[in-house]
Amino acid sequence: MKTITIADGVHAVTQTGVRLGELAEYIWEHGQRALPHGTCPYVGVGGHTAYGGFGLYGRKAGLLLDRAVSAEVVLANGAIVTASATVNSDLYFALRGAAPSYGIVTAWTYRTDPAPTSLINYEIDFPNDKTNFTHSVQVLEAFQAFALSNPDPNLSALMPIGFVDSKHLNIIIQGTYYGTTAQFHTAIAPLTKALSSIAPTVSTQPPANWRTGTIFQTGSWDVSAPDETDHFFAKSLTANSALTSTLNYNNWVTWLLTHGGSSVGWFVQVDMYGGFISTIPSTATAYTSRSDVLNFQFYGSSGNNAFPTTGSGLANGITFMDAMVSNLQQTVVHAYPNYIDPTLTTAQWESQYFGSNIQQLITIKKKWDPTNVFRFPQSIPTACNSPHQVATIVKCGVAQRIPVTARSGGHSYAAYGLGGENNHIVVDLSQMKTISMNTDSSNNVYVVAQTGNRLGELAQHIWNNGSRALPHGTCPEVGLGGHVAYGGFGPYSRKSGLLLDHATAAEVVLGNGTIITASTTTHPDLFFALRGAAPSYGIVTAWTFRTDVAPPMLVNYEINFPSYHTVSASQAIVILTSFQSFAMTNVDTNLSAVIPIGWQDSQHLHMDIEGTYYGTVAQLNAAVAPLMKMIASLNPIMNTQAPENYYDGTLYQTLGRSWSVSNGDSSDTFFAKSLMLNSATVQSANYTNWVNWMIANGASGPSTWWCNIDLYGGVISNVAKTATAYANRNDILNFQFYGSSGNNGFPSNGITFMNNLLSNLQPTVVQAYPCYIDPTLTEAQWTSQYYASNLAKLITIKKAWDPTNVFKFPQSIPTA
């Protein structure tokens, strides 16, 4: 599809099979017209326009999508429509920045410019074509300062950076000025003045017309010969005037000089951004990064060889490229969607590419592609706002024989919220946030919460409406759907049970698209299964919970040791064995307790004991007295917060001191394991071996790792293990082993390290906690460790309610 027409001499109707070179050549030959776009002639018009499309002419004339006045698009239902500012304007908004999520654009109509009559291509070089550490940092800082100074929009500037040796980088500055030589020298003067101490050489090509000048930039607009192939991986970041302060050039140049020759071939290109692009509001198009002044592309290539994605450390090409970015800016806020990074999490790419526009884009997606026909790893999600929309999508999945997975929008330990594997339809529930409360004739207070809510939203709502409470975790951003489904617990659980124990009914969409309610009296077999294995049976769109009157008082406490969180091996063993012995006693159910453990140094661990008591300080001291006696030889120090009401006390537990989720959650690359011990299996825990292994090997694990040991049991154990699918009721300790590499790739030895972290405590795991999903477990392991003797019943229920296995994922209940 390569037709191009300019019927009125201005507007170029261009089918999306056209390449940039073909478009540039055509509009020049038919009226000497111009458009702002990239300089690679082989790039396709469709994708380039869809995600922004930027080039040397962009600071003067905007992005290519800014010149799109209409689009011809094929919708999910097969209809062919036109979208513009006056026709289907919401779709037109979405197409200009996120087109592939909404339909197939078959033609764009662009408003072309008369080509500038004169342009100057230029280059600024430095002595010997290389810069040392000091000069490299100086060039980068000067370029940034220049970009912040609102330079002439007729000037484009880009800075390619490459590796020379351990003491030098190759940095040049080049670009184009749309005007005369004299105007160019005036525009560039502030930059050359800032670099004068390095003795830069400024060279210019003779003034040229548009076609001759742009061909100098590209080499040729001809695409008759095939393009070269390349195995590569790219990342990006864009920075506005505020974010430039977070760019650490000293750190980055040091890293490039130290590691630049240790992995794949690479380059970085820093484009001066802004100009006309920034005059358009970020809310005018789906493309949102309008205020940025710099655009960084990080490009790693292995040529015709396979890109190295295995191996440890920087030998892994993706790890190398991730480190290249993080050493410049630790947390990327804005990125450029034309340089797609497939390793970003959903939260990352939604935020970095679309910013505050994401909710509007989800709303438009629901209208124009409700069944998610145009779905790919970074497509705009189809967030639903009613059970009937969920049912429609489920039916679509059934018709296409594609498994269907629900995503509440919170945490997902093994990415099972995205299916955990390729080829899943993901039903985004994150916009289903209705919460209502009611009271029955016995004055029991119930809350009905849709599963797009986060724990923080639920906690805040029930406190604001009657000072009510529920037992759940302390991370506000965790999604309600998954937390209930697998047995979510928190500090209040020893007193009040698991969150699923408070569930009295569930609204659920089944595999055949019907919407039903399950409870102890209606479809009790399904209700049994939903409370511990819900994602295997349907999509729960709302839970009804029986709430508690919030306890009137609680005390948060910490038991520390003389070296403050730092304990030797012998001290750690005393703490762990004493904590185990204490857990085996009839511990007051008003008491919660957890031991966080981390590596301190080659002789010490980081450790304390902390938790909450639902009562007074005197009652707390009585409850922990047996434990304090057991560890008395270590001279423990008990610190307590002043007694607080339930709400204020839970804010302290959340660490962020808030149940608010308005700022979003941070992303993390991690792997987790778990272990649950009852009074019998706890006898096989080898704390001496474990502590010695952690101290000896702790430095070799992921960049951050820790273990939490929660005191379990209490009211949780009062419910029979056959009452719900969640089976691990008689345990007294719950271990979570967590390894993190932040925003970097998970180290190749990370999973082995985490496996050893567990096996050196207990080689054979009998019970594990399904909320801390471990995707490396075999089917025999996870079915036994998560569901124990309930598995056979769960398989029977699966065959009755989802016989065709619509709700299938790597650890879903099997049908046989």
Side-chain angles (χ1 to χ4, degrees), residues 58-62 66 150 153 274-282 284 290-291:
R59 294 192 72 255
K60 179 174 175 65
D66 296 330
N150 193 29
F276 184 85
I277 298 168
S278 300
T279 66
I280 297 175
S282 63
R290 296 285 184 175
S291 62

Side-chain angles (χ1 to χ4, degrees), residues 35-213:
L35 281 169
H37 51 68
T39 57
C40 179
Y42 292 95
V43 168
V45 163
H48 193 63
T49 310
Y51 286 122
F54 168 73
L56 296 174
Y57 189 44
R59 294 192 72 255
K60 179 174 175 65
L63 302 172
L64 184 55
L65 63 79
D66 296 330
R67 294 313 183 94
V69 297
S70 67
E72 177 187 77
V73 56
V74 179
L75 302 178
N77 62 6
I80 303 171
V81 302
T82 296
S84 69
T86 56
V87 179
N88 303 320
S89 57
D90 57 341
L91 178 61
Y92 178 60
F93 165 89
L95 294 177
R96 290 173 299 151
S101 294
Y102 297 88
I104 298 176
V105 176
T106 53
W108 290 100
T109 299
Y110 304 105
R111 186 187 70 255
T112 65
D113 288 343
T117 56
S118 176
L119 63 81
I120 309 293
N121 289 301
Y122 71 92
E123 183 170 295
I124 302 175
D125 296 291
F126 301 98
N128 302 313
D129 294 324
K130 58 186 180 182
T131 53
N132 61 23
F133 170 83
T134 302
H135 289 167
S136 295
V137 173
Q138 184 179 346
V139 173
L140 289 162
E141 291 179 341
F143 192 78
Q144 174 175 298
F146 181 61
L148 288 165
S149 68
N150 193 29
D152 185 341
N154 288 291
L155 181 74
S156 76
L158 61 92
M159 183 165 49
I161 302 171
F163 179 76
V164 177
D165 55 42
S166 61
K167 293 184 179 180
H168 300 91
L169 297 177
N170 175 249
I171 302 179
I172 60 176
I173 300 171
Q174 56 191 205
T176 302
Y177 186 85
Y178 298 94
T180 67
T181 303
Q183 291 170 324
F184 160 67
H185 284 294
T186 300
I188 203 71
L191 178 58
T192 55
K193 181 179 179 181
L195 298 172
S196 59
S197 63
I198 314 178
T201 301
V202 181
S203 56
T204 60
Q205 296 293 313
N209 64 29
W210 169 262
R211 187 178 188 279
T212 303

Side-chain angles (χ1 to χ4, degrees), residues 112-423:
T112 65
D113 288 343
T117 56
S118 176
L119 63 81
I120 309 293
N121 289 301
Y122 71 92
E123 183 170 295
I124 302 175
D125 296 291
F126 301 98
N128 302 313
D129 294 324
K130 58 186 180 182
T131 53
N132 61 23
F133 170 83
T134 302
H135 289 167
S136 295
V137 173
Q138 184 179 346
V139 173
L140 289 162
E141 291 179 341
F143 192 78
Q144 174 175 298
F146 181 61
L148 288 165
S149 68
N150 193 29
D152 185 341
N154 288 291
L155 181 74
S156 76
L158 61 92
M159 183 165 49
I161 302 171
F163 179 76
V164 177
D165 55 42
S166 61
K167 293 184 179 180
H168 300 91
L169 297 177
N170 175 249
I171 302 179
I172 60 176
I173 300 171
Q174 56 191 205
T176 302
Y177 186 85
Y178 298 94
T180 67
T181 303
Q183 291 170 324
F184 160 67
H185 284 294
T186 300
I188 203 71
L191 178 58
T192 55
K193 181 179 179 181
L195 298 172
S196 59
S197 63
I198 314 178
T201 301
V202 181
S203 56
T204 60
Q205 296 293 313
N209 64 29
W210 169 262
R211 187 178 188 279
T212 303
T214 56
I215 287 178
F216 177 83
Q217 298 161 1
T218 66
S220 171
W221 284 119
D222 181 34
V223 296
S224 58
D227 196 8
E228 296 178 354
T229 58
D230 190 15
H231 292 83
F232 70 94
F233 173 70
K235 298 182 76 72
S236 69
L237 73 84
T238 60
N240 58 28
S241 56
L243 293 173
T244 53
S245 63
T246 66
L247 302 177
N248 189 334
Y249 292 121
N250 281 284
N251 186 68
W252 190 47
V253 171
T254 298
W255 189 90
L256 292 177
L257 293 173
T258 304
H259 302 290
S262 63
S263 187
V264 294
W266 62 269
F267 70 83
V268 176
Q269 181 167 304
V270 189
D271 280 279
M272 190 164 70
Y273 213 59
F276 184 85
I277 298 168
S278 300
T279 66
I280 297 175
S282 63
T283 55
T285 62
Y287 183 87
T288 189
S289 296
R290 296 285 184 175
S291 62
D292 297 302
V293 296
L294 294 175
N295 185 337
F296 291 75
Q297 179 185 17
F298 308 84
Y299 190 99
S301 167
S302 57
N304 288 323
N305 299 316
F307 196 80
T309 57
T310 59
S312 60
L314 299 182
N316 183 312
I318 292 178
T319 301
F320 176 83
M321 298 303 295
D322 286 340
M324 183 181 292
V325 177
S326 64
N327 275 275
L328 174 60
Q329 186 180 57
Q330 191 168 12
T331 302
V332 175
V333 179
H334 297 166
Y336 183 54
N338 261 135
Y339 305 147
I340 290 174
D341 176 357
T343 68
L344 296 181
T345 66
T346 299
Q348 287 174 323
W349 66 258
E350 286 183 350
S351 172
Q352 293 175 23
Y353 295 162
F354 301 110
S356 59
N357 284 344
I358 186 64
Q359 294 306 322
Q360 183 178 355
L361 289 169
I362 290 172
T363 300
I364 298 169
K365 175 77 168 178
K366 287 188 292 184
K367 175 182 175 180
W368 291 96
D369 184 22
T371 57
N372 212 10
V373 170
F374 303 106
R375 177 180 63 89
F376 52 93
Q378 291 186 0
S379 59
I380 301 297
T382 310
C384 299
N385 55 24
S386 75
H388 297 286
Q389 288 185 346
V390 175
T392 298
I393 297 171
V394 169
K395 290 176 183 177
C396 177
V398 172
Q400 300 299 318
R401 298 184 179 180
I402 302 173
V404 181
T405 301
R407 181 180 80 156
S408 282
H411 296 184
S412 184
Y413 268 43
Y416 288 172
L418 297 173
E421 58 191 3
N422 292 332
N423 300 318

Side-chain angles (χ1 to χ4, degrees), residues 490-683:
Y492 187 46
S493 290
R494 295 194 72 257
K495 179 175 175 65
S496 190
L498 302 172
L499 184 54
L500 62 80
D501 295 332
H502 282 251
T504 60
E507 177 186 74
V508 57
V509 178
L510 301 177
N512 61 8
T514 58
I515 304 168
I516 65 169
T517 297
S519 68
T520 54
T521 57
T522 305
H523 311 305
D525 59 339
L526 178 61
F527 190 54
F528 165 90
L530 295 177
R531 291 173 296 156
S536 295
Y537 296 88
I539 296 178
V540 176
T541 51
W543 288 98
T544 300
F545 302 105
R546 184 192 68 257
T547 66
D548 290 343
V549 176
M553 180 185 298
L554 63 79
V555 181
N556 290 301
Y557 70 90
E558 181 179 277
I559 301 172
N560 225 306
F561 303 94
S563 296
Y564 190 70
H565 296 301
T566 301
V567 298
S568 65
S570 60
Q571 291 172 320
I573 292 166
V574 170
I575 295 168
L576 292 167
T577 55
S578 298
F579 193 73
Q580 173 176 300
S581 298
F582 178 63
M584 295 177 70
T585 66
N586 188 24
V587 180
D588 186 341
T589 57
N590 288 290
L591 182 75
S592 78
V594 59
I595 300 181
I597 302 171
W599 186 78
Q600 188 75 20
D601 56 43
S602 60
Q603 295 182 321
H604 300 91
L605 293 177
H606 184 281
M607 185 182 296
D608 64 21
I609 304 170
E610 55 194 56
T612 302
Y613 188 86
Y614 297 91
T616 66
V617 174
Q619 291 169 322
L620 163 65
N621 288 332
V624 299
L627 176 60
M628 295 294 282
K629 183 177 180 180
M630 294 176 191
I631 59 176
S633 63
L634 305 182
N635 299 313
I637 303 162
M638 166 70 86
N639 297 310
T640 59
Q641 298 291 315
E644 300 174 286
N645 65 36
Y646 178 83
Y647 179 76
D648 291 337
T650 60
L651 293 183
Y652 178 83
Q653 297 164 358
T654 66
L655 299 182
R657 306 295 188 264
S658 172
W659 282 115
S660 172
V661 298
S662 60
N663 292 328
D665 200 6
S666 58
S667 58
D668 193 15
T669 303
F670 70 94
F671 173 70
K673 300 184 75 72
S674 67
L675 167 69
M676 303 183 77
L677 297 177
N678 58 36
S679 57
T681 56
V682 78
Q683 304 298 329

